[in-house]
Amino acid sequence: MKHEDVLRHVTTPLVNPAFAPMVPRFTDREYLNIVYRTDAEALRAVVPEPLQIEEPLVRFEVMKMGDVSGYGPYTESGQAIPVTFDGERGEYLHSMYLDNFPATASGREVAAYPKTIGAPNLYVDNGALVGTLDYGTLRVATATMGYKHFALDPAEAKAQITVPTFMLKIIPGYDGAPRVMELVRTEITDVVVKEAWTGPARLQLFEHVLAPLADLPVREIVSASHIITDLTLAPVTPVHDYLKGAQR
């Protein structure tokens, strides 16, 4: 393979790349979102500066991807933390667990999503929308919400899922020291809200050393939503370089 041919690739293996070189479009992405109050000290221990925390809140999410160009259907779950950066309100992505390796590899390599492999699920059971997350054979999260109890304003639903998102991009060098260490920003674009609902909800988190969602314990359920959308993810933009100690 010639030098110029190598330069045309975005990931390895060269003859069987881990993910498709494209910007995926998400069709019929179904969200279960539960916002809960947690311990402020626990949040301060995991949210990196220069992000700021105003309230001790966490959003637990399960997302069932009905169809994704380049990846196909899959399910994802994780935790996002409301923060501010330079006066802009957004969310810091704390953890994400997927059942699709190409989407996991792409999210980490191309962007900076904190993705790892897990076994999330989203389904309806006896009048309740149920979201679960297993790590290996063990359950680490169970969320339930009344199924389509009350309509949610589509504008409010769109506002919930289009807040700016902040993540850490960390790439080690060959000596183990960080070669890239940046805070990056992205957002969801081209959103079409197809359905939006709210209702009562509950959330249980179970302790696991390799999936420590319960380190941000549930103290009070604040709100819940069930949203079905089409959307696209915007490219990431670096906003703070930890190695240079200055914002870009």
Side-chain angles (χ1 to χ4, degrees):
M1 185 177 294
K2 295 185 179 296
H3 185 277
E4 56 269 24
D5 295 326
V6 174
L7 290 174
R8 281 197 286 267
H9 290 263
V10 297
T11 185
T12 59
L14 289 181
V15 296
N16 181 30
F19 50 86
M22 62 181 301
V23 177
R25 175 68 176 172
F26 294 78
T27 303
D28 291 333
R29 176 189 275 201
E30 184 174 8
Y31 286 86
L32 169 58
N33 296 309
I34 298 182
V35 176
Y36 68 91
R37 196 173 305 278
T38 190
D39 295 340
E41 288 299 321
L43 280 188
R44 281 192 282 268
V46 298
V47 174
E49 294 180 335
L51 298 175
Q52 299 292 319
I53 303 165
E54 293 189 345
E55 288 189 79
L57 301 177
V58 181
R59 182 173 61 86
F60 173 80
E61 64 180 4
V62 181
M63 297 177 288
K64 187 175 184 180
M65 317 299 182
D67 182 67
V68 187
S69 52
Y71 306 112
Y74 64 93
T75 309
E76 182 173 324
S77 180
Q79 291 168 308
I81 300 169
V83 295
T84 61
F85 176 77
D86 272 356
E88 181 181 49
R89 294 178 181 271
E91 289 185 330
Y92 168 65
L93 292 187
H94 177 56
S95 64
M96 308 179 83
Y97 299 84
L98 288 72
D99 59 5
N100 181 296
F101 175 74
T104 302
S106 172
R108 289 177 65 99
E109 292 184 22
V110 176
Y113 293 94
K115 296 187 176 187
T116 189
I117 293 294
N121 197 9
L122 184 63
Y123 59 97
V124 178
D125 179 42
N126 197 32
L129 181 65
V130 180
T132 62
L133 174 61
D134 294 347
Y135 190 86
T137 62
L138 298 178
R139 177 63 44 87
V140 294
T142 299
T144 55
M145 173 183 166
Y147 184 67
K148 296 187 178 182
H149 279 203
F150 308 105
L152 179 64
D153 183 350
E156 168 61 22
K158 182 177 180 180
Q160 286 185 19
I161 64 174
T162 56
V163 297
T165 298
F166 299 96
M167 305 169 287
L168 286 180
K169 177 92 169 183
I170 300 177
I171 301 176
Y174 298 108
D175 59 356
R179 187 170 181 176
V180 175
M181 184 171 285
E182 298 173 333
L183 182 71
V184 303
R185 180 193 182 280
T186 187
E187 58 189 309
I188 287 173
T189 64
D190 302 326
V191 178
V192 178
V193 176
K194 295 181 172 179
E195 294 186 44
W197 306 89
T198 187
R202 299 291 186 272
L203 174 62
Q204 293 176 287
L205 303 178
F206 306 95
E207 294 186 356
H208 192 299
V209 66
L210 299 182
L213 283 77
D215 285 2
L216 302 178
V218 179
R219 300 304 184 207
E220 178 191 6
I221 301 297
V222 175
S223 64
S225 59
H226 174 204
I227 304 169
I228 301 175
T229 70
D230 298 343
L231 56 87
T232 303
L233 300 179
V236 300
T237 303
V239 294
H240 182 82
D241 191 327
Y242 289 90
L243 299 181
K244 294 181 179 179
Q247 296 181 16
R248 293 186 173 183

